[in-house]
Amino acid sequence: ATIISIDNSINNKKEISKIVLCDLQNVIYPKIQNIFLDFIRKSGYPELNIEKTINFEKLYNDKFN
């Protein structure tokens, strides 16, 4: 889980949407991916690796622009 706080001066829904769906994901995804891979490796699958990266900026732009 991630808890965030968005500055009250940001009141544009599109900007808030981009922060939550794109910018935030770019920050937390690598951390979540590392936690997941560490868990899997400690469970007996040390060779498992995730090579595909997720481009949250592109996903956001494809959906909302």
Side-chain angles (χ1 to χ4, degrees):
T2 301
I3 299 173
I4 66 167
S5 176
I6 298 176
D7 190 317
N8 288 336
S9 66
I10 301 172
N11 55 13
N12 180 310
K13 283 182 138 183
K14 187 170 183 168
E15 189 174 354
I16 292 171
S17 174
K18 184 176 183 302
I19 289 169
V20 173
L21 297 174
C22 181
D23 301 337
L24 176 64
Q25 302 310 313
N26 284 325
V27 173
I28 65 170
Y29 179 76
K31 295 174 185 176
I32 292 171
Q33 182 181 29
N34 286 336
I35 291 168
F36 174 74
L37 286 173
D38 189 46
F39 176 75
I40 294 298
R41 289 178 182 135
K42 288 180 179 178
S43 296
Y45 299 95
E47 68 281 348
L48 181 68
N49 205 359
I50 299 175
E51 295 181 18
K52 185 176 180 181
T53 59
I54 298 175
N55 185 337
F56 291 103
E57 186 86 29
K58 181 180 181 327
L59 289 172
Y60 178 82
N61 287 330
D62 288 351
K63 181 160 179 121
F64 295 105
N65 290 326

